[in-house]
Structure formats: structure tokens, C-alpha cells
Amino acid sequence: MQDQTGLEQETSASSVAIALSILKHAIISLTHQDSKLIECCLTCQLPLEIYQTIEKNSLLNLKPELCNQSVTFSANSEITFKATLHPDRLSDIPENVTTPETALDYLQQLSQTQPEHPLLNLDNWFTLSAYQGKICYTTLWATLNPSKLAAGTINEEELTQSLSQFLTHLTETELTKASDQFFQELFSDFTNPFKLDDRNKVDEHPITNAMIAFFTNDDWTFTKIQGKPILQMGYQGENGQWLCYARANESPQQFAFYSICPTIAPEERRLAIAEFITHANNGIAIGNFELNFSSGEIMYKTSIDVEGDRITPTLIKRLVYANVITTDQYLPGILAVIEGRLSPTDAIALVENNTN
């Protein structure tokens, strides 16, 4: 049996060989903004054997839970594969490398002289898509722009719409493949959780401070949208899993928590969903469902305004758990209406009868 060191050496050697295979027939594309390189992508043709090695070892961060569907490629023709470089590694590309041709030449030279260079490390590349004829899939990174995510320039609306767009294409089978850490770990490569030093800096911000204190003390895993008092995390309920946001406003002093439904309503079902959430909101004591008629996005919001008073982690806890419990309760009804299996009134009856 190989020891751990032997396995690591074998994996490393395999990664180097894959990198060389990719570069043989790769096409590089560069995106600049204000003369600054903001994205580097590569497209290549791979034989099935090479692709299967990538898939088996999760090289280029190819993870099944980040693919919008499962596909089976054949050995009859090559697979077109596209990946993007981690934004943190763009600085490793010399300033005089400004065109796709010079970029490819530079990478190929590195493969001969410095095969261990970070630009050739497949952990620093993220799979965007793969296709063979009409068989194809895309990953979440094709929907979310990693460069924007890393720079913190992607706003909350873009982030939510991108996730909704991606999740819309996930079938139930693919969605169940995601672990209960799926949303919590999703952005770990691009955003970092608050550190202790960061918390000390927000002592003068009572809403933000209380928000962070609750999620930290209650053992939630969360990440911060860079430059904004917004935390993102995932929640696993009995009836599904979904993305959540916590937002702090210091002026006026408000806290809001959102659960984002993992499926958006198609245009032809939005009136039915509007009827469903109107029935659902009638009688809910804390919070309410909301529907964006333009995008079909459904969310549940709980919030509080404490202007002139104070907020505590205990108060935040009540809002958070009232939110996720209610979302989990009504999620089967939402999905039944979206899929056309039940009318809004029948779906409400099903949901509320099951809780009585």
C-alpha cells in the first residue's frame, strides 16, 4: 500500500502531465480593464482519458456539486474544455505578456523550465464548461465571474441572480449531490470569513457587531461580501437547502435576514406563486415571503428596526430561526406550485395541514 507521501507525489506528477496535455492544444484569452489584466481563460480539446483523469481527481476544481448537470462523454471525439485562472494568480503573468499568443508562449515555456510554477498548478484554475457535440455542462464559475467575486465588485443583486440562474438548471438529482456544506464552502476561494481582528474593528458598529457575534457563537459558517456589511451562508433544512444572507444597516439601525428559494419561478408560474405567497403571508407573525416578478426569485425576509434602542444576538437568533423554519415549512408548497403539481390553494392546504 502506498503511504500518504507516495500518493501525493503520484497526484502531483499526474497534475503536471495533465497541465502539459492541456497546453499542447490550448487557446488563451485575456480580458483587460483600464490596461489591467482582470481575467485569463483557456480553452482546449481533450481526449476522454485525460478528461476522466481530471474528473476523477477533481483537478481544475472540477466538482460535481458545482456542475449544472451530469453528463457522460464518449471516446468518439475530443471534449472541448474551458477554465479560468484564479484571480489571485493573475499577478504571476508578466506585464509584457499582453496578448493571447504571448500568454500561451509564456505558459508553454514555463512547462519546460518550471513545471511547478503556480500558473501550471491545476488547483489555481477553475473549470467553466465542457462539451462534446450537443452534450455539455457548465459550472457555477461560468455563471459567477470569479474576477468580480474576488475584487468584491459584484453586488448583491448580481450575486443572487447568478446563483438563481445556476440553481434553476440543477435537476433534483444534481442538487442532492451537494453536501450540506455546499453553500457554506462555495466562496471559500474568493472571500474570507471575518477574523477576530475584523470583529474588533466593528465595535463601533453595534448592528454589525451583534450580527457577527450571533453567527460566530452559534457555530454558523459564513463568508462576507467584501466591502459590505453582508454575510452569506447556507442552510440545510428537512425539505431542502438554500442560500441565506444577513445584512446590517447602521443608519438607520436595522437588521435583515433573507432565505433565497433554491428554484426560481418560471414566467408562466409567477402569478400562481404570487397567489401562493399571498396565502402564506396571511397569518405569519414574523417576516414575509417576497417575489421578484421580473426574475422569478422568491425569498423570505425577517427584519427589525432598532433605531433608538439596541439589538442583541438573542434577538437576531429569533429572527434567523423564525426565517429558516418558515422557509423550510413552505418550501414543498413552493416547489409543488412551480412544478405545476398543485394549485396555490391546494399547496397551502398541504403545507399548513402538515404542520397542524
Side-chain angles (χ1 to χ4, degrees):
M1 179 180 293
Q2 287 181 294
D3 59 20
Q4 185 64 32
T5 301
L7 288 172
E8 290 176 353
Q9 290 174 342
E10 181 178 331
T11 301
S12 177
S14 175
S15 296
V16 171
I18 295 294
L20 293 174
S21 298
I22 289 174
L23 289 175
K24 283 182 180 179
H25 305 289
I27 297 174
I28 299 292
S29 64
L30 302 176
T31 303
H32 291 83
Q33 185 175 36
D34 298 328
S35 300
K36 181 181 179 181
L37 180 63
I38 62 170
E39 188 169 19
C40 175
C41 294
L42 67 81
T43 304
C44 64
Q45 304 266 312
L46 298 175
L48 180 63
E49 181 181 357
I50 297 296
Y51 173 80
Q52 288 176 333
T53 302
I54 293 173
E55 185 179 44
K56 177 182 177 181
N57 296 289
S58 298
L59 302 177
L60 295 102
N61 292 280
L62 177 55
K63 302 176 182 180
E65 62 267 29
L66 297 182
C67 300
N68 69 342
Q69 61 180 325
S70 296
V71 301
T72 301
F73 295 124
S74 71
N76 297 333
S77 61
E78 292 187 322
I79 299 155
T80 301
F81 192 87
K82 187 174 182 179
T84 187
L85 180 64
H86 194 301
D88 287 351
R89 305 269 40 123
L90 292 173
S91 58
D92 292 326
I93 299 177
E95 292 184 1
N96 63 337
V97 175
T98 58
T99 67
E101 293 76 18
T102 56
L104 181 57
D105 288 343
Y106 180 69
L107 291 176
Q108 289 177 337
Q109 289 174 16
L110 287 178
S111 70
Q112 301 300 320
T113 59
Q114 302 179 54
E116 300 299 328
H117 193 281
L119 290 175
L120 301 180
N121 184 338
L122 299 185
D123 288 339
N124 292 329
W125 292 83
F126 290 81
T127 301
L128 297 176
S129 62
Y131 65 88
Q132 185 184 60
K134 295 183 179 180
I135 302 173
C136 65
Y137 67 79
T138 59
T139 70
L140 182 59
W141 307 122
T143 307
L144 281 176
N145 186 309
S147 298
K148 284 187 177 181
L149 202 57
T153 57
I154 186 168
N155 60 42
E156 182 183 4
E157 183 179 358
E158 284 182 284
L159 185 64
T160 302
Q161 287 180 350
S162 295
L163 287 168
S164 296
Q165 178 183 342
F166 175 78
L167 291 171
T168 301
H169 299 290
L170 279 174
T171 65
E172 183 177 353
T173 301
E174 274 75 49
L175 189 58
T176 57
K177 291 178 182 177
S179 69
D180 58 5
Q181 296 292 312
F182 172 59
F183 290 118
Q184 298 171 1
E185 296 176 351
L186 194 56
F187 302 98
S188 61
D189 289 300
F190 297 101
T191 54
N192 295 317
F194 268 114
K195 299 178 182 177
L196 182 59
D197 291 343
D198 297 315
R199 297 185 207 122
N200 291 337
K201 293 177 183 178
V202 297
D203 286 342
E204 68 273 22
H205 303 301
I207 309 299
T208 306
N209 195 35
M211 176 177 72
I212 297 168
F214 163 69
F215 286 107
T216 300
N217 296 335
D218 211 50
D219 293 327
W220 285 65
T221 299
F222 60 88
T223 56
K224 178 182 179 292
I225 295 181
Q226 189 171 339
K228 298 181 181 180
I230 300 173
L231 309 181
Q232 57 192 17
M233 66 282 292
Y235 186 81
Q236 174 72 56
E238 292 183 2
N239 297 311
Q241 56 186 358
W242 59 87
L243 183 69
C244 302
Y245 287 100
R247 174 196 284 274
N249 290 328
E250 300 297 341
S251 180
Q253 291 187 307
Q254 299 170 337
F255 169 80
F257 187 79
Y258 303 86
S259 282
I260 311 299
C261 178
T263 303
I264 67 172
E267 188 171 358
E268 67 274 12
R269 303 300 301 166
R270 289 174 195 170
L271 283 176
I273 281 293
E275 181 182 345
F276 175 87
I277 67 174
T278 299
H279 286 301
N281 285 334
N282 183 28
I284 292 180
I286 302 176
N288 62 278
F289 283 99
E290 297 179 353
L291 168 66
N292 185 324
F293 254 97
S294 297
S295 66
E297 178 188 84
I298 305 162
M299 65 173 64
Y300 190 78
K301 178 183 72 177
T302 46
S303 60
I304 190 170
D305 188 316
V306 292
E307 190 73 25
D309 204 339
R310 62 187 292 270
I311 194 167
T312 65
T314 300
L315 183 55
I316 289 176
K317 180 176 183 177
R318 292 172 186 164
L319 293 174
V320 168
Y321 283 104
N323 187 303
V324 295
I325 289 171
T326 303
T327 300
D328 197 46
Q329 174 189 349
Y330 284 90
L331 186 58
I334 291 172
L335 297 178
V337 173
I338 287 177
E339 295 164 5
R341 291 185 283 110
L342 292 176
S343 68
T345 52
D346 288 342
I348 282 291
L350 172 69
V351 169
E352 297 185 345
N353 289 340
N354 284 344
T355 58
N356 293 333

